[in-house]
Amino acid sequence: RMVARRVAQWRSRIVDGERQTVYVTLGGDVLSKGARAFRTAKADARYLKARGIASTGPKNSSIDHVEELEPYASRRLGCDPRDLAYWNLPESVEASYRDVGVKRLYDWQA
């Protein structure tokens, strides 16, 4: 049965017509199947288990307050809502925004 979250799980995706298995980390990064992905998946599983978040099934598998989990909690601490880090975006998404020159939100966006 599916878990009720989109991070800290293995996923399958199609790239150029071929199926790939990837791991989506708690931080939202997508890792190709391999040693790094397995190590990260194991660390994420330990982290979630210590907080009573189930690894299978829909019951107790959701992350209700992602801002309370690492890596998000430390990134949000003392942060201005206009800073991208405040919104718990995956690092890859933040990097994409920085690459096109977006460093902060306008007051009306935050």
Side-chain angles (χ1 to χ4, degrees):
R1 300 204 291 163
M2 294 293 292
V3 296
R5 64 175 181 271
R6 298 191 180 275
V7 295
Q9 30 179 356
W10 291 95
R11 295 212 170 262
S12 183
R13 68 180 183 179
I14 305 292
V15 176
D16 296 329
E18 292 190 29
R19 182 174 302 278
Q20 291 182 345
T21 300
V22 296
Y23 181 73
V24 182
T25 69
L26 274 173
D29 293 316
V30 178
L31 305 177
S32 295
K33 188 176 180 179
R36 181 174 174 225
F38 286 110
R39 283 191 307 271
T40 304
K42 190 173 182 178
D44 285 354
R46 277 193 305 261
Y47 185 86
L48 293 174
K49 184 177 182 181
R51 283 148 187 84
I53 299 171
S55 60
T56 59
K59 187 175 181 185
N60 298 326
S61 68
S62 64
I63 301 172
D64 296 324
H65 301 285
V66 70
E67 67 275 4
E68 295 173 3
L69 299 177
E70 291 299 334
Y72 306 112
S74 60
R75 294 175 69 199
R76 201 169 207 198
L77 187 64
C79 218
D80 184 328
R82 293 172 294 177
D83 292 336
L84 294 177
Y86 182 86
W87 296 101
N88 300 319
L89 299 171
E91 178 57 34
S92 57
V93 173
E94 273 191 59
S96 295
Y97 278 122
R98 282 192 304 269
D99 290 347
V100 296
V102 176
K103 294 179 178 49
R104 293 180 60 122
L105 300 175
Y106 292 104
D107 288 338
W108 62 269
Q109 292 174 309

